[in-house]
Amino acid sequence: MRRILTILTLSLAPASAYAEALGGNIYIHDPSIAVLDTGMVSFATGVERAPDGGMPRTKTSPDGITWQEAGALPGGMPKWVTTELGFTPRNVWAPSVFAKDGTHYLYYSVSSFGHNDSAIGLMTNAALDPADPTQGWVDQGMVIRSHEGEDFNAIDPFRIDVGDKAYLSFGSFWDGIRQVELDPATGMLLDGAQPMPIASRGGGAIEAPAILEHDGQFYLFVSFDSCCRGRLSTYRIMVGRADTVTGPYVDATGKPMLDGGGTELLATKGRMIGPGGQEVFERDGAPWLAFHFYDDDDGGRPKLELAPIGWTDDGWPTLPALD
């Protein structure tokens, strides 16, 4: 979801993982987290047919535990979206926030469910205010586009910078996850850059890429299977790793992610149904995972969860055991 996101070091209260740890308003889809000097801000998929035009929604937390709604980004659907797509989407999907040199870059997706007539746009904010994270955003327009008939889908963006280069990973279904180089200053597509495949299930369900750099290797997190069905959701979080950000990524058995590989990190267990839509962020200098799940104890409603990432002796990510 998406880079490591820290701008300033923030000492947050420790939180045990999963469900019981978080409180307040944690109803969310596709979370992306910014860590600021006075707390945390989440960005998430907008509400369909909402008066605000389905724009990305924000929440704030002083400690990463108790969350409150801060509202949707104002202004309604950016004008370029309807002009480019030929229709007005019901909502904006899977916004992903990235911080660099004091500026926040918010990548977002516009599409219609089940189609790859889609685009990824960008908003920037030179002074994100944790007291009101909905203000200060300037839309920069379209970053990349996919059309019906092409074999990729321009949704679920995630940015990571490596050295003096920047990369955007994205994708859902079709031929899987793509990656393209960005201009690190503007956040827009680098001139002449072409999207390259980094993970695929041959048309099967894979989406929501997020990349983490750790100890000289790169870890690609994705979601397999079905989102957005409440208690019937089968989402699960998978991971592979590579020696370079561009891949090739393989799972723990050595199977390439381009050939459907992926090592399962988290799946349905107990009250937590269909965890996915994940992103990585940095908290107190350590990597964490943000994701949503469907709470079987609350009618299958989607909720936020944050979990610290640990590591096995052979360098694979782990999450705390479920209760």
Side-chain angles (χ1 to χ4, degrees):
M1 161 48 146
R2 299 192 178 183
R3 50 135 266 216
I4 301 261
L5 293 176
T6 268
I7 356 177
L8 298 173
T9 300
L10 172 65
S11 292
L12 301 174
S16 61
Y18 306 123
E20 293 81 7
L22 303 187
N25 187 330
I26 57 172
Y27 300 110
I28 204 165
H29 261 122
D30 308 316
S32 180
I33 303 292
V35 178
L36 307 176
D37 58 344
T38 56
M40 299 171 74
V41 179
S42 71
F43 298 85
T45 292
V47 177
E48 287 193 13
R49 297 191 179 92
D52 51 54
M55 294 297 287
R57 302 198 68 82
T58 63
K59 300 180 191 296
T60 60
S61 173
D63 55 11
I65 299 174
T66 302
W67 292 81
Q68 63 181 5
E69 184 72 21
L73 301 192
M77 192 69 64
K79 292 181 179 178
W80 70 263
V81 173
T82 300
T83 301
E84 178 65 35
L85 297 184
F87 63 92
T88 302
R90 294 178 178 179
N91 56 342
V92 172
W93 291 347
S96 177
V97 65
F98 171 85
K100 182 180 179 70
D101 298 331
T103 294
H104 282 80
Y105 299 75
L106 190 69
Y107 294 89
Y108 60 91
S109 315
V110 286
S111 187
S112 59
F113 203 83
H115 297 271
N116 68 333
D117 190 16
S118 312
I120 293 169
L122 171 64
M123 299 178 185
T124 57
N125 194 326
L128 180 60
D129 182 1
D132 187 357
T134 69
Q135 300 301 310
W137 294 98
V138 178
D139 195 79
Q140 305 296 337
M142 186 173 73
V143 178
I144 193 168
R145 172 89 154 89
S146 59
H147 300 82
E148 297 272 7
E150 292 184 304
D151 63 355
F152 69 97
N153 194 6
I155 70 170
D156 288 2
F158 177 93
R159 175 174 167 176
I160 182 172
D161 283 18
V162 180
D164 60 356
K165 294 188 175 183
Y167 301 88
L168 189 74
S169 300
F170 59 91
S172 173
F173 284 77
W174 274 264
D175 199 29
I177 308 302
R178 298 293 177 97
Q179 186 182 83
V180 69
E181 193 168 350
L182 300 173
D183 180 317
T186 67
M188 304 297 280
L189 208 65
L190 191 69
D191 287 347
Q194 296 295 321
M196 302 299 293
I198 58 171
S200 177
R201 297 183 80 192
I206 180 174
E207 55 192 9
I211 297 178
L212 170 66
E213 184 177 5
H214 176 75
D215 281 352
Q217 292 192 298
F218 296 85
Y219 295 81
L220 172 61
F221 299 83
V222 295
S223 296
F224 276 12
D225 302 335
S226 296
C227 171
C228 313
R229 298 180 181 179
R231 287 175 166 144
L232 299 180
S233 299
T234 57
Y235 242 17
R236 52 196 174 113
I237 300 173
M238 313 294 287
V239 66
R241 71 182 180 190
D243 294 329
T244 67
V245 68
T246 56
Y249 289 89
V250 300
D251 67 17
T253 70
K255 184 175 182 178
M257 292 188 76
L258 277 169
D259 295 333
T263 296
E264 187 174 280
L265 181 65
L266 185 64
T268 294
K269 185 175 181 181
R271 67 182 289 187
M272 181 178 286
I273 297 173
Q278 67 289 320
E279 278 207 353
V280 292
F281 68 101
E282 189 173 276
R283 179 177 179 177
D284 289 339
W288 282 64
L289 195 71
F291 57 94
H292 71 250
F293 70 97
Y294 301 92
D295 190 346
D296 193 38
D297 289 352
D298 191 14
R301 299 180 74 183
K303 293 185 177 181
L304 172 68
E305 191 51 79
L306 308 176
I309 298 174
W311 303 94
T312 65
D313 290 342
D314 55 353
W316 284 92
T318 62
L319 297 178
L322 289 168
D323 296 333

